[in-house]
Each structure stands twice: as C-alpha cells, then as structure tokens.
Amino acid sequence: MSESFQFQLKKTDGGARLGEVSMPRGTIRTPAFMPVGTVGTVKAMYLDQVRETGADIILGNTYHLMLRPTAERVARLGGLHELIRWRHPILTDSGGFQVMSLSGLRKLDEKGVTFKSHVDGSTHHMSPERSIEIQGLLGSDIQMQLDECVALPATPKEIERAMELSLRWAERCKVAFGDQPGKAMFGIVQGGDVQELRVRSAQALKQMDLKGYAVGGLAVGEPQDVMLRMLELTLPELPADKPRYLMGVGTPDDILKSVARGIDMFDCVMPTRSGRHGLAFTRRGKVNIRNARHAEDMRPLDDQSTCPASRDYSRAYLHHLVRANEALGGMLLSWHNLAYYQELMQGIRQAIAEGRFADFMAETQENWARGDL
Ligand SMILES: Nc1ccc2nc(N)nc(O)c2c1
C-alpha cells in the first residue's frame, strides 16, 4: 500500500521485468494480468473468486458504465468499488476503443466523439475531459486517456492523423486529471504498424511525464509477429521506471512473448469469453471441452491446480454442462481459465525473480505443444 502511486522495478531478466505498482487500494505485482470487468462484473464470476485466483486489479469500462447505469448514478451509489464490492485497484479504459468497436460512431473531431448507444440508440458525446470526469466519478484508480485506435489495415496518413489526435487528447486528459496522488492517468501509444509513427507517439508521451504508459492500437487483428515488432520499436522509447501496459492482450503465448519484450500489465477477455464458450487454457495447451472425446473422461482439467473448478470437476461433467448450455459450465470454465492465467503470471514473476525466465518460457511453450493428455 502507498499513499501515492508508485512503481518499483525490482529485477530484470533479459527484456522481462519484475515490478510492483503500489497504490492506496493495494499493490499490483507485475507482470500482471487484469481480468476484464466491463460492465462492473467479471462475467460469470464472484469477485471473491477472482481475487482468490490471484488478481490484484480488475478492469472496468467507461463506455459501458456511462451508458448503464451512468457514471453519475455509480457516484451516487458510492463509486464502482463500493457498488461491485471490490476494494482493490480498478483500471478503467477511456471509452474511445469501445466507441469505435461497439457503437454507431456518428462523429469524431478535435472535440471528441459523438456516438449512438448500442444499448438504446441514444446519442452521446465524449470529449477527453468528459472521459476523465467519468472515470473520476467511477472512482477509478488508473484512468486511461481518451484515444483513437484505428483498425488495421489503414493508410499511414490515417494512422498518423489518429496518432497525432491521440497525443493532443493525452495533453487534455493530463490537464483534466490534474494532480491526484493516489491515482494515475496513463497515456496510450498509438501509431498502428508504422515504425516512425510508433516512435514519435512514444517519445511525445514520454515528454508528458505520465505515471504509466499503455501500448494501444494492437491486438486489433494484426499477426502476432507485427504486434511483437511494434513492441520492440515502442518500448525502448518509454521510460524504464514507469509501468507499461499492453491493451487487450492476449493468449498465454502472446503474454509470454510480450513479457520477454518488457510489458508489465495485460488485460484480455480471452480467459473469460473463451471459458463461456467451452475453451479451457491449461498447462498442456488448449482444451475444447465440447469435444466428444471428453464425454466420459472423469479426469479434472488440472489436478495440480489449487482452483476448485480445475481440480474437483470432471471433464465429463464440464462437457455435459457446456453441451447443455448450462450457466455453471461457463462459470466453472471462466474460473479455471482465470486461475490458469494467474498461475502463469505467478510462474513468470517467479522465473524473473530467479533469473530463469528464458527457460521458463521455453518449458511452458513445450508443455503447451505437447498437448492435452
Ligand atoms: N486492443 C485494444 C484494447 C483496448 C484499447 N483501449 C484503448 N483505449 N485504446 C486502444 O488502442 C485499445 C486497443
């Protein structure tokens, strides 16, 4: 715990970093995976379970919460932490990305974005200042700047326009956020898949001396090698003593390779969304529990796991629940997947601490490749 927002880089092992973010609401062990709690819930999970899996922080989304139940109502109800009963740190995305991907975007200009709600079709405006205001009303501990993430492929001209707009919006978000010692506002590097634009974006954000830096505009459908290349170009331009957060990433393999290049924080719907669709991530790779081969397999997904969902339920039962589209199927598989992701993060942190991250990465990937027994 710390009265102010502090990041401590504890150890490096090649490009991999072991660190800790300390805030009044708690400490985040990095590299960290942040479960996504879009509309004030990590879908199909009790937050006590999410905590038990090892999560130090969860995500909320400005876009969804401003539409329903609205930021002002959440504030009247005591803020997001109080409402959802999660007393540890919360990071909120700024809404720009969700506007582009979810809503009927009506207008985007210097002022901000105008869009139609995907909930009821009502029209909303969001400026950088309003996004920070909303995140403040929610009580968010780590707030993201409003940015424009262009879908790839896009022309260099289009990527440059969006990147430069995002930089101007970062300045405005920094002013709107002001000085909140126990909280942080992170900038977001844009620049698509264009090296020169990525470098310019990172260098400009570094000049703003922010408390943390996200790498955005990735995990938008580009091949993994393009994503990793952009990290190799971007991360050296960012300050080593501030946390780096790769937005929307990813699979266990994405995470390993991004840690190796210097990322500290991750968020992704992969473990929860895949869990709801019957896909389990395990130490031996992916298991599609819908597959008929599991119909009478009495083994659990992972008898070495401390997670009840992984250890105490047979694949046969999980197969039955998912085939029958029973709610408990998605609940147990979401629980298992989040537990596996946190077990992977713990293994990563331990390996960096002991200076054996490269071996850990190779062993983990070999076990995945060996496949499920
Ligand atoms: N892949 C992603 C996921 C979330 C994002 N959020 C923001 N604000 N900006 C981006 O570029 C994102 C990219």
Side-chain angles (χ1 to χ4, degrees):
M1 303 281 204
S2 155
E3 276 320 296
S4 61
F5 176 97
Q6 289 172 355
F7 174 67
Q8 183 196 359
L9 180 57
K10 301 169 85 164
K11 194 165 183 308
T12 59
D13 182 357
R17 295 154 45 101
L18 180 72
E20 207 167 78
V21 177
S22 305
M23 316 181 73
R25 283 200 172 97
T27 299
I28 304 158
R29 298 162 292 173
T30 66
F33 181 78
M34 305 184 283
V36 176
T38 303
V39 217
T41 157
V42 176
K43 291 185 182 350
M45 293 289 292
Y46 290 106
L47 286 177
D48 292 349
Q49 290 171 315
V50 172
R51 183 65 178 167
E52 260 169 50
T53 64
D56 293 334
I57 177 172
I58 61 170
L59 247 74
N61 258 309
T62 294
Y63 170 80
H64 295 79
L65 292 165
M66 71 182 280
L67 297 179
R68 186 172 48 187
T70 77
E72 284 72 14
R73 173 166 292 169
V74 172
R76 286 196 298 274
L77 296 172
L80 197 54
H81 296 80
E82 181 62 29
L83 183 62
I84 70 175
R85 317 298 300 148
W86 172 265
R87 53 189 173 76
H88 314 288
I90 293 178
L91 181 150
T92 46
D93 199 352
S94 52
F97 183 77
Q98 290 75 29
V99 166
M100 313 298 175
S101 50
L102 283 174
S103 78
L105 177 65
R106 302 283 296 285
K107 192 170 74 172
L108 181 145
D109 59 21
E110 194 65 38
K111 286 195 298 293
V113 290
T114 301
F115 60 93
K116 282 168 73 75
S117 161
H118 74 286
V119 174
D120 62 11
S122 55
T123 296
H124 296 261
H125 308 279
M126 175 132 70
S127 65
E129 293 79 12
R130 176 62 178 152
S131 175
I132 294 296
E133 181 186 33
I134 289 170
Q135 296 179 73
L137 286 166
L138 297 175
S140 170
D141 302 290
I142 301 179
Q143 303 177 19
M144 302 310 293
Q145 71 154 94
L146 184 67
D147 60 331
E148 184 191 352
C149 167
V150 291
L152 295 180
T155 65
K157 207 93 204 88
E158 181 57 9
I159 295 170
E160 182 176 38
R161 179 201 57 73
M163 182 276 282
E164 291 177 340
L165 175 67
S166 296
L167 286 177
R168 296 192 295 272
W169 282 0
E171 288 281 8
R172 288 169 55 185
C173 286
K174 181 180 180 186
V175 170
F177 180 80
D179 181 18
Q180 301 181 51
K183 300 189 174 186
M185 197 279 289
F186 282 14
I188 304 176
V189 178
Q190 290 292 348
D193 54 0
V194 179
Q195 170 169 354
E196 189 262 332
L197 297 178
R198 282 277 165 193
V199 170
R200 266 173 51 199
S201 178
Q203 289 175 343
L205 286 171
K206 182 177 180 179
Q207 292 307 311
M208 295 180 204
D209 188 26
L210 302 172
K211 291 186 179 169
Y213 295 88
V215 181
L218 295 174
V220 290
E222 78 283 354
Q224 187 192 61
D225 62 318
V226 171
M227 178 182 81
L228 296 174
R229 178 87 188 106
M230 288 306 114
L231 294 185
E232 290 160 6
L233 297 169
T234 304
L235 297 179
E237 305 298 334
L238 294 175
D241 63 344
K242 302 285 178 66
R244 295 90 174 263
Y245 160 31
L246 179 54
M247 305 187 86
V249 175
T251 65
D253 188 55
D254 291 333
I255 288 173
L256 270 186
K257 290 171 177 166
S258 300
V259 166
R261 288 162 175 79
I263 293 291
D264 304 308
M265 298 164 71
F266 299 89
D267 89 274
C268 194
V269 294
M270 184 70 78
T272 39
R273 184 175 294 171
S274 302
R276 292 196 304 279
H277 295 102
L279 180 65
F281 290 93
T282 78
R283 68 182 81 245
R284 292 188 204 88
K286 289 185 272 196
V287 175
N288 182 343
I289 207 69
R290 299 185 67 88
N291 189 302
R293 73 184 179 92
H294 303 294
E296 298 194 10
D297 187 337
M298 288 308 288
R299 296 175 303 156
L301 279 171
D302 184 344
D303 59 6
Q304 298 172 52
S305 172
T306 58
C307 170
S310 317
R311 189 196 55 214
D312 302 339
Y313 292 85
S314 68
R315 291 156 184 244
Y317 183 48
L318 294 171
H319 173 83
H320 163 64
L321 290 173
V322 172
R323 283 290 185 104
N325 204 22
E326 281 292 333
L328 184 60
M331 292 161 67
L332 291 173
L333 285 164
S334 296
W335 194 3
H336 161 80
N337 281 345
L338 285 178
Y340 175 66
Y341 265 61
Q342 294 300 344
E343 182 193 306
L344 175 66
M345 302 319 292
Q346 178 54 34
I348 287 171
R349 295 192 293 263
Q350 193 66 33
I352 298 170
E354 297 168 4
R356 56 177 180 79
F357 175 72
D359 291 345
F360 174 83
M361 182 166 165
E363 285 156 26
T364 303
Q365 289 171 320
E366 278 157 30
N367 287 335
W368 289 335
R370 197 164 299 146
D372 188 38
L373 302 181

